[in-house]
Amino acid sequence: MLDGFISFANMVLKPLIDLGPASVMTVVLTLIAWAFGVKFTKALQGGLKLGIAITGVGAIMGILTTAFSEALQKFVESTGLNLNVTDVGWSPLATITWGSSYTLYFMMVLLIVNAIMIFTNKTNTFDVDIFDIWHLSITGLFAMYVGANLLVTTLFVIFIGVLKIINSDLMKPTFNDLLDAPEGNPMTTTHMNYMMNPIVMLLDKIYDKLFFWLDKYDFDSATLNNKIGFWGSKFAIGIYLGIFVGVLAKLPVRSMIELGFTAGVSLELFSVIGQWFIESVEPLSQGVTEFATKHFGSERTFNIGLDWPFIAGRSEMWAAANVLAPIMLLEALVLPKNGLLPLGGIIAMGLTPALLVVTRGKIIRMVVIGAVLLPVFLYSGTLIAPFVTDMAKQVGAFPENLGANALISHSTLEGPIEKFVAYFVGKANGDGGQFILYAVIALAVYLLLFIWYARQMKKRNAEYAAKAGK
């Protein structure tokens, strides 16, 4: 039965996915807005703007990552760092994942789960970011690689998928706050990187107990800009950090300045592109609002789950990412049992969006908590390296410039904690024995931490609601 469902999912969804992420999201947003009664031309306008925004974010991230990777490679060479797993970034891993027929099957399953949750009033979020299902799919594929059968893997993927959707509702008021957006703003996200929120929240509470005195020195970019003018602006922060990395890499003065300008323009453009995300969902927002009022009454509103970069305009995320890059390299050098050389994922987008949401832009907190959590990513990347390497060779995505015995992975791949849980689930299903106990403990801890986090976010959201009421 599952084989037939897999074949059906691939037949229906593969032609759409083959268009690429920007085209997929253009089509999806346009059709959904049209289905909610938005005039087709307005729906298409929103869809095209979303596709342009996704393309823009990808282009700027490519420029920023390439520039910093080259500079930090020189730093690595100067330290003599020699690790056996090469960080190839996210692109080869996405290729590997979309090369599996199971990915479209998982997508179909989660679309059905999302629909059930909406109609049973368990969520208010329509998850339209279907291309990024690969982040959850690769977690499921890793569980299968370790030993899980398809049924267990499907249940595991559904388990994580449900929590992702619940998390999108929990984060919605915080996104309104960070974007200074009205209550009617429909944007949220089900992206996998925000599943780091529970562990970030736990460390944030520990920070409150031990390092509360640092808060008097903490700041967000808006506070800094108000105090010191353009010296705290996005482009200025980018220039400072670019020069800092240039000094670290011992670049010539000209290259150092160019790196600073590259970082500065990237932070400014992220802010502009973030506005495109907001504008792209306006037609759909209007359609959803009218639909909800007509069919559910004014007491229910719906959210739209987009890709994470609609929040990319907050410069704290990039400031923290650029400070954490050399920290991650230093940690990779000293961590025992780490085999991963961080390069392709050096701009830590698997972590910094979660840091931004939980701390609400307090940069010192973001850097301190981020430094504590980066080893989780390095160890997760090391853990999945044999799986990634084998799969890459099977689908022809293994880099040609690497030796046949080399291992590849990604240093900041979204969902590192889920990879460890997937390992225990796979081993429990495949090998049994003590791994069953380990899997039960891992799943229980993961779920209990999420439940605790959800309670903390509900308290925060109640504060937002009380403030809005005043």
Side-chain angles (χ1 to χ4, degrees), residues 339-361:
L340 185 56
L341 175 67
L343 285 174
I346 200 71
I347 305 298
M349 288 302 99
L351 175 59
T352 49
L355 294 172
L356 175 71
V357 166
V358 173
T359 69
R360 289 180 277 195

Side-chain angles (χ1 to χ4, degrees), residues 283-306:
L284 177 56
S285 174
Q286 181 180 353
V288 167
T289 300
E290 293 175 356
F291 176 86
T293 301
K294 180 178 179 180
H295 294 280
F296 297 95
S298 58
E299 70 279 358
R300 189 172 184 190
T301 59
F302 290 103
N303 308 321
I304 309 301
L306 297 172

Side-chain angles (χ1 to χ4, degrees), residues 22 25-34 38-55 57 128 179 185-188 272-288 304-307 309-311:
M25 294 311 299
T26 296
V27 172
V28 169
L29 191 71
T30 300
L31 292 179
I32 291 177
W34 193 27
V38 178
K39 187 178 178 182
F40 180 76
T41 53
K42 294 290 286 185
L44 179 61
Q45 177 184 349
L48 290 172
K49 187 160 286 189
L50 179 60
I52 291 169
I54 291 172
T55 302
V57 165
V128 304
L179 293 168
N185 162 47
M187 292 187 299
T188 185
V272 173
I273 293 170
Q275 185 62 34
W276 295 352
F277 277 91
I278 296 171
E279 294 172 1
S280 71
V281 298
E282 286 179 355
L284 177 56
S285 174
Q286 181 180 353
V288 167
I304 309 301
L306 297 172
D307 201 353
F310 71 86
I311 199 69

